[in-house]
Amino acid sequence: MKAVPIERCRTCFCGQCSISEVSKVYALNSALDHAYSLFGVGLVFFDSKHNLTHLNELARVKLKLPEEFILLGGDLIAECFNHQSQIELRRSIEQLINNKCANEIYINTAIREEKSTVMLQRLEKSAFGIETPGVVMFIFEAKHDNDASSADVARIFGLTKAEASLALAITNGMTATEYSTMHGISINTAYSQIKEILAKTGTRRQAELVKLVLEHSPGFERRKNMTR
């Protein structure tokens, strides 16, 4: 009697079968986690009901959470952020899920009393088990020398504190729209400040401003040395 070949599983949840659809998802998840970890970015995913569905290892360490936190059904926002940040984060996530605001929201906050910046972004679908609109939270490394760098730029180019902060943000690749959203100012105010910055620095375009700041700010030498 001829043996009937056993068909390998295609839809199981073992995550090990080479042709399992689930294994492909696991592989993608792992690749995304690894890529963002290399850039020092924590990843946190929420579904349309605000439930935590995934966080990469960097985010878990940054947030000081136990490995089984998701399985325990913990409230990440309540656990890791202060009261004011909790209100802002929950409101922003709700707005993003319901598509009632811009696709991205930047928030300066504190994670367990440590200054940090997070970006919230709406997702139509996610590789991390979200089949309905959800939200991803990117957790960026804190820039501890921002205040010092801003003061240096203000002194060198004769800028106000707000203008120096914006000049540094532009130098780091942030757009006027992103900056205005992060700092709670109107886009017209941001453009007005950029106009003043260009006038005070004797530059005509933002590209010239970036080059000037990088060439004359104290932090430029540190960045060049780090790339050697």
Side-chain angles (χ1 to χ4, degrees), residues 7-226:
E7 184 178 358
R8 299 181 69 182
C9 62
R10 294 177 181 273
T11 58
C12 74
F13 290 89
C14 67
Q16 298 175 353
C17 175
S18 63
I19 56 176
S20 167
E21 292 300 319
V22 176
S23 71
K24 295 176 184 177
V25 172
Y26 287 169
L28 176 58
N29 293 356
S30 178
L32 287 173
D33 280 347
H34 180 65
Y36 278 101
S37 293
L38 288 176
F39 288 104
V41 179
L43 290 180
V44 180
F45 288 85
F46 300 95
D47 65 16
S48 59
K49 295 182 180 179
H50 299 205
N51 296 318
L52 175 66
T53 63
H54 179 82
L55 71 162
N56 67 356
E57 181 65 12
L58 188 66
R60 188 187 69 77
V61 172
K62 175 75 174 176
L63 297 167
K64 300 178 182 178
L65 297 173
E67 292 183 1
E68 66 277 11
F69 188 78
I70 294 180
L71 295 177
L72 295 175
D75 186 336
L76 180 147
I77 293 177
E79 179 77 18
C80 304
F81 296 89
N82 62 32
H83 179 67
Q84 184 58 42
S85 292
Q86 290 178 35
I87 294 174
E88 190 172 5
L89 286 167
R90 295 189 194 281
R91 180 177 63 244
S92 298
I93 290 173
E94 182 68 27
Q95 291 174 339
L96 286 166
I97 288 175
N98 293 310
N99 209 14
K100 293 183 177 180
C101 62
N103 190 49
E104 298 176 356
I105 298 177
Y106 286 85
I107 299 175
N108 286 323
T109 183
I111 298 176
R112 298 190 184 280
E113 308 306 322
E114 181 180 340
K115 289 183 179 181
S116 189
T117 299
V118 302
M119 181 182 80
L120 301 172
Q121 186 177 63
R122 174 184 167 86
L123 295 175
E124 294 302 324
K125 285 189 176 182
S126 167
F128 295 91
I130 301 176
E131 295 300 329
T132 57
V135 170
V136 56
M137 175 192 291
F138 297 92
I139 303 174
F140 301 101
E141 291 293 330
K143 299 297 188 294
H144 298 291
D145 61 345
N146 273 357
D147 290 342
S149 297
S150 180
D152 288 334
V153 170
R155 174 178 54 80
I156 293 169
F157 300 107
L159 304 178
T160 66
K161 182 178 180 180
E163 290 168 350
S165 175
L166 178 51
L168 278 177
I170 292 172
T171 302
N172 287 323
M174 188 176 294
T175 67
T177 300
E178 291 170 342
Y179 184 87
S180 63
T181 300
M182 176 183 290
H183 292 272
I185 63 176
S186 71
I187 187 62
N188 288 334
T189 297
Y191 283 139
S192 178
Q193 289 180 342
I194 291 174
K195 184 177 180 180
E196 286 295 316
I197 294 169
L198 295 178
K200 289 181 179 181
T201 57
T203 54
R204 294 173 295 175
R205 297 184 297 275
Q206 291 186 33
E208 292 180 3
L209 173 66
V210 170
K211 185 174 184 293
L212 185 67
V213 171
L214 290 178
E215 287 178 345
H216 292 84
S217 66
F220 181 57
E221 290 300 323
R222 290 197 296 272
R223 281 188 290 270
K224 285 198 301 185
N225 292 335
M226 288 175 62

